[in-house]
Amino acid sequence: MRISIVRPGELGEPERVRWRELQKADPSLDNPFLSVEFALAMDRLRDYVRVAVVHDGDSIAGFFPYERHSFGIGKPLGGFLTTCHGLISAPGLKIDTKALLRAAKLSVFDFDHMVAGQATFAPFETDVRPAPIMDFTEGFDVWIEQVKANSPKNLKTVRYKERKLGREQGELRFEYASADPEVLRVLLNWKSDQYRRTGRVDRFAQPWIVELIDLMHAEQSADFSGVLTMLYAGDTPVAGHFGLRTATTLVGWFPAYDTEFARYSPGIVHHLQMAEHAARAGVLAVDMGKGGKEYKDWLKSGVLYVSEGRVSRPSATAAVHWIGRTPVNKARTIVLDRPSLYKVADRVLKGFGRVRTTLQSDSSSESVVKEPSGAR
């Protein structure tokens, strides 16, 4: 085998067609974060995006998209923004990982959402975790019955709040695959507020991430598209989501809601309606991603598996990277595995967010008080 390194934008149409063929041939690769369209968008915005093209004789056997950072540190394409990464190839293809790293000029490659069980990376997996999905292969009605069996009390409560929201705030209307950029702005503003309120880093404070979302929203094809959904009460938007889909899989990405309507649990109401509309649109599965919220446990009707691990070549850079990353990764895994610890961590972050908001508010008030009366 021969490995060549290029930027995704340098791939010709035959290579892009081959990428799509390989992805469609393996059900485990049915994820939009593994699509060539996502790699092309990332390449337009980030200089460190590369793809290793694996040649087997005269044919292309696989593609490995990645990010190459300073000192040869390798990261999955999209890094913290994505919930799936891996080698796009025929099932069972095994590549010499050290040769792959040498060709890619990487000292180390750290992964945390790898498609589990890929022959190339399986020997380096240190943890395999389930990612819950909503499975619509037998239809929406079968799925909703599974949800009811998982937690009849939760479903009954959400349906009650759904009716109450419509009764008190206006007739409910759901929009699937909205093309309106202003609707997207509403959603992103809610999400930014959520990040700040809960003590997280506001991802949309980075302009390139907003631009990436805009590029994905504009992508509309049978094999890949951005999907913007919004739930309205009357004419008022109350909860929405932006995600990516292949022909048959929608991946959860950025859900958010207007906190003014929090008492109605609009986020979960939206998820139930999104599931119904997605199933009607031909989606067979909604990938909710590993870890996190309790609602995933009672909405799920199946799981996929993703893995964590690390591949490296002997070097000082790899050693320093291991020292810095391994304790963090272990701590994160421990927290995600234990709901009680996750709740504590979530409360701490939310408390930090409230303190930060208060300090920012106080600082703003002081600046107004101290401003000279003649200033504009």
Side-chain angles (χ1 to χ4, degrees):
M1 290 188 180
R2 177 173 56 87
I3 301 172
S4 60
I5 307 299
V6 299
R7 296 190 62 153
E10 296 171 342
L11 296 172
E13 188 56 30
E15 289 81 11
R16 299 180 189 188
V17 169
R18 178 59 174 160
W19 185 315
R20 296 185 185 103
E21 288 175 349
L22 290 170
Q23 185 181 15
K24 290 179 181 179
D26 185 347
S28 73
L29 303 179
D30 187 18
N31 186 296
F33 289 124
L34 300 178
S35 298
V36 66
E37 288 84 359
F38 183 73
L40 292 169
M42 284 292 299
D43 186 35
R44 289 177 58 179
L45 300 172
R46 303 282 88 184
D47 291 336
Y48 46 64
V49 175
R50 299 290 186 273
V51 57
V53 184
V54 182
H55 304 266
D56 187 2
D58 295 331
S59 66
I60 294 177
F63 299 88
F64 179 62
Y66 65 96
E67 297 178 4
R68 184 181 186 277
H69 294 266
S70 300
F71 307 108
I73 301 298
K75 297 182 181 180
L77 181 66
F80 63 90
L81 287 174
T82 65
T83 59
C84 186
H85 40 260
L87 175 68
I88 295 87
S89 70
L93 179 68
K94 186 171 184 178
I95 303 170
D96 182 334
T97 52
K98 301 300 171 62
L100 179 62
L101 263 59
R102 278 197 303 271
K105 297 182 179 180
L106 298 179
S107 299
V108 60
F109 181 75
D110 200 14
F111 56 89
D112 59 3
H113 288 80
M114 181 71 70
V115 176
Q118 289 199 331
T120 298
F121 295 100
F124 304 95
E125 294 175 347
T126 57
D127 190 24
V128 176
R129 296 173 55 80
I133 64 169
M134 305 182 208
D135 185 350
F136 307 136
T137 53
E138 296 184 46
F140 174 80
D141 291 338
V142 172
W143 172 77
I144 199 68
E145 284 301 314
Q146 178 65 56
V147 173
K148 185 176 181 180
N150 290 345
S151 183
K153 183 177 179 180
N154 278 329
L155 182 61
K156 183 177 180 180
T157 299
V158 172
R159 289 306 194 195
Y160 167 77
K161 290 186 176 183
E162 181 180 46
R163 293 190 297 271
K164 185 177 176 66
L165 174 61
R167 186 170 61 250
E168 296 180 352
Q169 301 297 332
E171 183 178 356
L172 298 187
R173 174 172 62 88
F174 192 88
E175 186 174 12
Y176 184 82
S178 170
D180 190 341
E182 294 305 314
V183 174
L184 181 60
R185 287 292 166 271
V186 170
L187 177 68
L188 298 191
N189 286 338
W190 287 342
K191 197 67 180 178
S192 286
D193 177 67
Q194 178 190 342
Y195 286 140
R196 294 190 295 267
R197 191 176 68 250
T198 57
R200 273 76 169 179
V201 174
D202 181 5
R203 295 177 179 180
F204 304 127
Q206 301 185 55
W208 77 267
I209 295 180
V210 177
E211 190 173 354
L212 174 66
I213 302 304
D214 287 338
L215 288 174
M216 296 293 88
H217 186 216
E219 282 281 351
Q220 297 294 322
S221 71
D223 291 330
F224 182 94
S225 62
V227 181
L228 173 63
T229 56
M230 185 62 72
L231 174 66
Y232 295 84
D235 294 325
T236 304
V238 297
H241 173 264
F242 180 72
L244 303 179
R245 67 165 287 183
T246 62
T248 56
T249 296
L250 173 64
V251 171
W253 205 7
F254 296 113
Y257 61 87
D258 187 340
T259 55
E260 181 180 342
F261 302 94
R263 63 189 180 278
Y264 301 105
S265 300
I268 302 298
V269 171
H270 166 277
H271 259 58
L272 288 177
Q273 295 216 13
M274 181 180 72
E276 183 172 3
H277 284 78
R280 288 179 186 171
V283 171
L284 299 181
V286 175
D287 184 340
M288 295 184 283
K290 70 173 184 177
K293 305 298 184 179
E294 290 182 6
Y295 73 85
K296 295 180 182 181
D297 285 335
W298 61 275
L299 290 183
K300 75 177 181 182
S301 55
V303 295
L304 302 174
Y305 290 92
V306 293
S307 64
E308 299 178 6
R310 182 177 182 274
V311 184
S312 65
R313 293 190 294 148
S315 69
T317 297
V320 171
H321 181 267
W322 181 86
I323 292 171
R325 288 292 296 163
T326 299
V328 174
N329 289 341
K330 285 186 176 179
R332 184 181 64 235
T333 298
I334 290 171
V335 170
L336 290 175
D337 276 340
R338 293 165 173 77
S340 59
L341 289 180
Y342 182 87
K343 288 180 180 180
V344 171
D346 192 51
R347 282 201 302 271
V348 169
L349 284 171
K350 287 179 179 177
F352 173 74
R354 287 192 294 271
V355 170
R356 184 169 59 182
T357 300
T358 300
L359 290 175
Q360 289 172 342
S361 177
D362 290 346
S363 176
S364 176
S365 298
E366 288 176 8
S367 67
V368 172
V369 172
K370 295 176 181 179
E371 190 163 329
S373 58
R376 289 184 294 177

